[in-house]
């Protein structure tokens, strides 16, 4: 499980994927999200600009990300 420490109160979902180097580009991140390949707290998340906050758990394929404050 990866842990991501927030620098602000939230980070937009597509930016988080880029920061963690899970995608090669912003376009790839947006496509991955739009196609429903990502869950947030057990629910499919398709909003590329969803505000990810401390306590959120994201799952992309075999990668789990825990967001901490």
């Amino acid at each position: 499980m990866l842990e991501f420490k927030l620098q602000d109160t939230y980070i937009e979902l597509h930016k988080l994927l880029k920061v963690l180097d899970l995608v090669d580009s912003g376009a790839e991140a947006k496509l991955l999200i739009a196609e429903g390949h990502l869950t947030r707290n057990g629910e499919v998340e398709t909003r590329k600009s969803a505000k990810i906050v401390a306590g959120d758990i994201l799952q992309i394929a075999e990668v789990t990300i825990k967001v901490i404050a």
Side-chain angles (χ1 to χ4, degrees), residues 5-32:
K5 185 171 175 65
L6 285 173
Q7 303 301 315
D8 292 307
T9 55
Y10 71 89
I11 186 170
E12 291 180 358
L13 181 54
H14 66 100
K15 292 179 182 175
L16 174 63
L17 298 182
K18 283 198 61 178
V19 168
L20 292 174
D21 285 329
L22 296 175
V23 293
D24 294 327
S25 67
E28 184 181 350
K30 291 173 186 176
L31 184 62
L32 195 122

Side-chain angles (χ1 to χ4, degrees), residues 10 14 17 19 25 27 34 39-40 48 54 56 59 64-66 69:
Y10 71 89
H14 66 100
L17 298 182
V19 168
S25 67
T39 61
R40 174 185 185 189
K48 67 180 188 279
D56 281 345
Q59 182 77 38
T64 302
I65 305 158
K66 180 178 181 181

Side-chain angles (χ1 to χ4, degrees), residues 20-55:
L20 292 174
D21 285 329
L22 296 175
V23 293
D24 294 327
S25 67
E28 184 181 350
K30 291 173 186 176
L31 184 62
L32 195 122
I33 296 163
E35 291 181 347
H37 294 290
L38 182 138
T39 61
R40 174 185 185 189
N41 302 325
E43 302 285 329
V44 174
E45 179 60 80
T46 57
R47 298 172 298 154
K48 67 180 188 279
S49 296
K51 293 178 179 176
I52 304 303
V53 297

